[in-house]
Amino acid sequence: MPDVFTNVVKPTHICNISCRYCYNEDTRAPIMTRETLVKVIEQTFAVPCSGPQRTRYDFIWHGGEPLVPGLSFYKDVIDLQHRHANGRRFENTMQTNGLLINDDWATFFKANRFNVSISIDGPKHLNDQTRIDLRGRGTFDRVSRSLEILRRCKVPFGVCVVITRANESFVDDIYDFLVAERLPFNVIPLTLSGSAKTSFDELGLDAEEYASPWITMFDRWFDSRSGDYIYCSDFAFKTKAILSGRPADCIGQVNCSRHHVSTDPDGYVYPCATLSGNAEWRYGNIHETALPDLLSSTVAQYALGREIDPQCATCKWQHVCHGGCMQRAFKFTGDHNRRDYYCPSLFRMYEHVENRLRNDGSLTIAPAPHSILSET
């Protein structure tokens, strides 16, 4: 992967909707102060380069709902980034539910080259089962209006789709919807966290079940032609991993926390946005300790020291998977050293991608490293 340092910044945990599976379990409700924002920008750029020159610094604005702090907050973000970047490349990504987007937001995103990702779980009858507002009303119509605003203002954007038991049987409908609406997408499963703790028995898929709807959608994507093709990052990443013999996303990295942190509204730093609010995973606070020093803290070293699960050590796909997502391992088992809860599905998915590529006959698949325990 390119030499990128990513800070997933959560300027607030406040949200204007109440998804039935929301992973966020931090109930604190501050909005990041300007003092903290200055520290976040300044300290992110203070993280040293691991090579002659770091390729890029990525800021992913997350939440809660990251648009809640308002447009002036992000105008300040841009000013501060230009002030502290010193010519280094940076990118901004907004992960939003989309309900607050209007022409002013869209104009700002376009002018400042924000990447925008909006959560939507397919057509109205599927989305509105799980993505609901604080009064229990579906959000599809309002999100659709926001998508139209972004299109009209020519803002590039994609969507994030969560596969649950409520929509697993309708993934063909979801894919048809995404193609018809020309929506590049990512696809993810539930994490046992936040609201999903109480809804998981109803909405969550078993460790091996997630692979089936994923494979159905992957085959639609893999077999598509120009008229029905739409980009999917997860499908592309896993295909790239098989072809290159190296992980292509954070989930497959030996340890994603080497180049990835998350900062909460009060300036506390964690290895992952999903772990925000878990005191045992706090590296410390950027008001008290510089971010480069926090990356050497006891907790940071603990995160970096993830052990290899014995089953992973002999797995065919260890070189591109490395035990899967660390935070999912922790959320489901209480131990980040364990393998990802969805490991059985991940194995099926990698096997399926490999088989499709081999059957295609026109692509060369990279062999696994000589040592299956090698760090990739």
Side-chain angles (χ1 to χ4, degrees):
M1 294 180 71
D3 185 15
V4 176
F5 182 76
T6 301
N7 195 343
V8 182
V9 187
K10 300 167 77 73
T12 185
H13 294 297
I14 297 169
C15 192
N16 54 337
I17 66 173
S18 183
C19 298
R20 296 176 61 202
Y21 53 61
C22 179
Y23 80 88
N24 187 36
E25 55 191 8
D26 196 328
T27 58
R28 295 171 297 151
I31 293 177
M32 184 176 285
T33 64
R34 189 179 190 279
E35 180 186 12
T36 300
L37 177 61
V38 170
K39 284 285 188 181
V40 169
I41 304 298
E42 175 189 64
Q43 290 299 309
T44 299
F45 285 119
V47 173
C49 303
S50 59
Q53 184 174 1
R54 187 173 292 283
T55 302
R56 195 174 70 235
Y57 290 79
D58 282 0
F59 296 83
I60 299 177
W61 303 94
H62 214 293
E65 171 46 49
L67 299 190
V68 165
L71 189 53
S72 61
F73 179 91
Y74 289 99
K75 289 180 179 178
D76 209 6
V77 164
I78 295 299
D79 289 342
L80 290 166
Q81 287 173 331
H82 284 291
R83 186 182 309 171
H84 292 286
N86 293 321
R88 289 168 292 182
R89 286 184 61 206
F90 63 88
E91 287 190 2
N92 288 292
T93 297
M94 186 68 70
Q95 178 61 54
T96 172
N97 61 46
L99 267 66
L100 297 178
I101 290 176
N102 56 24
D103 285 346
D104 290 340
W105 277 111
T107 300
F108 172 80
F109 292 149
K110 178 68 173 178
N112 294 285
R113 299 183 179 181
F114 267 65
N115 303 305
V116 180
S117 176
I118 295 182
S119 297
I120 189 169
D121 288 349
K124 182 180 176 70
H125 70 283
L126 297 175
N127 180 86
D128 287 355
Q129 291 185 57
T130 50
R131 299 194 60 80
I132 55 178
D133 67 14
L134 300 176
R135 296 170 60 183
R137 301 172 301 179
T139 59
F140 181 86
D141 291 338
R142 283 168 284 175
V143 174
S144 295
R145 284 195 293 271
S146 296
L147 296 178
E148 287 305 313
I149 291 171
L150 293 176
R151 283 195 185 95
R152 175 161 42 80
C153 294
K154 296 181 171 54
V155 177
F157 64 90
V159 300
C160 183
V161 178
V162 182
I163 300 299
T164 69
R165 197 170 296 283
N167 63 15
E168 64 167 328
S169 299
F170 302 95
V171 289
D172 278 316
D173 293 342
I174 294 173
Y175 192 83
D176 289 339
F177 165 77
L178 297 169
V179 170
E181 297 296 323
R182 308 311 301 166
L183 298 174
F185 70 102
N186 189 28
V187 57
I188 59 173
L190 293 193
T191 292
L192 190 62
S193 181
S195 299
K197 285 184 176 179
T198 56
S199 64
F200 196 84
D201 287 345
E202 177 188 356
L203 296 176
L205 297 172
D206 291 345
E208 190 169 348
E209 285 181 315
Y210 177 60
S212 294
W214 190 96
I215 287 170
T216 298
M217 290 190 79
F218 176 86
D219 284 342
R220 290 288 306 276
W221 176 81
F222 191 87
D223 294 330
S224 63
R225 297 296 180 263
S226 58
D228 61 351
Y229 173 81
I230 199 73
Y231 178 80
C232 174
S233 56
D234 197 38
F235 300 160
F237 288 151
K238 286 185 170 53
T239 301
K240 181 179 179 181
I242 299 298
L243 290 171
S244 66
R246 300 175 63 87
D249 58 8
C250 66
I251 292 172
Q253 292 293 301
V254 172
N255 204 307
C256 59
S257 56
R258 286 178 176 167
H259 44 72
H260 183 287
V261 296
S262 180
T263 308
D264 77 5
D266 290 325
Y268 287 101
V269 177
Y270 305 83
C272 178
T274 311
L275 297 172
S276 182
N278 285 263
E280 65 189 285
W281 285 103
R282 285 179 183 168
Y283 291 0
N285 194 292
I286 57 174
H287 287 291
E288 300 167 358
T289 308
L291 182 55
D293 294 330
L294 289 177
L295 295 173
S296 300
S297 67
T298 300
V299 177
Q301 293 307 305
Y302 176 64
L304 283 168
R306 186 185 187 189
E307 299 172 3
I308 298 173
D309 185 283
Q311 184 166 338
C312 296
T314 58
C315 178
K316 171 182 177 182
W317 297 114
Q318 196 271 347
H319 65 294
V320 296
C321 178
H322 296 105
C325 180
M326 180 181 78
Q327 65 85 6
R328 285 201 303 240
F330 175 75
K331 290 289 186 175
F332 279 95
T333 71
D335 184 359
H336 78 300
N337 293 308
R338 300 283 295 277
R339 56 197 173 99
D340 191 329
Y341 168 79
Y342 291 106
C343 173
S345 280
L346 289 170
F347 186 87
R348 285 183 59 200
M349 288 149 59
Y350 283 120
E351 286 283 290
H352 185 79
V353 173
E354 181 194 43
N355 289 335
R356 292 305 313 268
L357 291 171
R358 289 196 185 281
N359 291 336
D360 179 86
S362 62
L363 300 169
T364 301
I365 298 173
H370 176 70
S371 169
I372 200 163
L373 299 184
S374 65
E375 293 195 355
T376 305

